[in-house]
Amino acid sequence: MKKIFFLSLFLSGCASAPPPIVQECPKPLVLNPPPIEAVSLKPVKFYVVSEKNLETFLKEIEGVSSGVFYAVTPAGYQSLANNVQELRRYIKESQNAILFYQKIDESTQ
């Protein structure tokens, strides 16, 4: 008899509770950034100057830039090339991170 009493008490206890409120979850924030415009680079002309072609170079550069020019040592040129390679690595890694987050965002929608 006690079992029936406790069973009826247990079942009737839940019947008097209000029904749960179900709410829709808001849509997740879209993380896709707008596409980045491609880089448009202008060509750069490099001259290799030595003692043999110095006079020819100076005559050619006078007609273009009034005799003003910039020089880079071989070690400086190697540093410049290494820096450009480092920039390319950074850009590739950034692109991969953006693609990763875009794929995650697409899979959650």
Side-chain angles (χ1 to χ4, degrees):
M1 190 69 152
K2 287 184 181 180
K3 291 181 183 179
I4 294 174
F5 174 73
F6 285 118
L7 183 61
S8 64
L9 185 63
F10 175 73
L11 292 175
S12 65
C14 293
S16 63
I21 299 171
V22 179
Q23 296 179 350
E24 276 191 43
C25 293
K27 288 191 173 188
L29 177 66
V30 177
L31 299 175
N32 289 338
I36 299 171
E37 186 177 330
V39 177
S40 69
L41 301 175
K42 295 180 174 52
V44 178
K45 187 172 183 181
F46 286 96
Y47 296 95
V48 178
V49 182
S50 65
E51 291 179 14
K52 294 179 183 176
N53 66 349
L54 180 61
E55 292 299 322
T56 309
F57 170 73
L58 289 175
K59 286 179 186 174
E60 184 178 336
I61 203 74
E62 277 183 23
V64 177
S65 68
S66 303
V68 177
F69 59 92
Y70 298 94
V72 179
T73 63
Y77 185 77
Q78 185 176 6
S79 295
L80 179 64
N82 289 339
N83 290 343
V84 169
Q85 184 63 31
E86 185 67 13
L87 284 171
R88 290 182 71 204
R89 180 203 55 82
Y90 176 77
I91 291 168
K92 291 262 186 201
E93 287 181 5
S94 298
Q95 287 173 337
N96 288 337
I98 291 169
L99 288 174
F100 173 77
Y101 287 117
Q102 284 177 343
K103 287 179 184 177
I104 287 177
D105 189 44
E106 288 171 0
S107 67
T108 59
Q109 291 180 359

